Amino acid sequence: MTQMIAHYSIADYARFRAAFDADAEDRGNNGLSLLQLWRESDQSAWALFQVGDAAAAKAYLEGAAGVFNSQAGVSATAFHFVETA
């Protein structure tokens, strides 16, 4: 089972959350299903995703996610694909 842990550095949590929620269908169409979202601070959020299609998810993160990032005020991201041990 592959999952992805994502960290988002953001300008404003409310703006990020609105864009994050609006992007759910696009993420889902690209192999990512949200399992949990955590708010670390107004400038930091973490998410855990189930990965149904790793190739589609990676392509999304390298391309279309840029639109989400600009709409959500994301200044930096880190993505880690992990498997259950």
Side-chain angles (χ1 to χ4, degrees):
M1 176 184 315
T2 301
Q3 296 179 328
M4 183 185 75
I5 301 169
H7 179 257
Y8 301 93
S9 296
I10 54 179
D12 173 68
Y13 183 79
R15 176 180 170 194
F16 167 80
R17 185 60 194 257
F20 187 86
D21 290 347
D23 194 54
E25 183 176 357
D26 198 24
R27 285 191 311 269
N29 290 337
N30 288 285
L32 295 170
S33 300
L34 181 67
L35 297 174
Q36 186 70 48
L37 179 66
W38 297 278
R39 175 182 179 172
E40 184 173 19
S41 68
D42 284 340
Q43 288 77 42
S44 182
W46 294 82
L48 175 64
F49 296 95
Q50 180 68 41
V51 180
D53 182 338
K58 288 176 183 178
Y60 165 77
L61 295 172
E62 293 170 0
V67 173
F68 161 74
N69 290 344
S70 67
Q71 293 171 343
V74 175
S75 59
T77 57
F79 303 106
H80 304 275
F81 287 81
V82 296
E83 292 184 21
T84 303

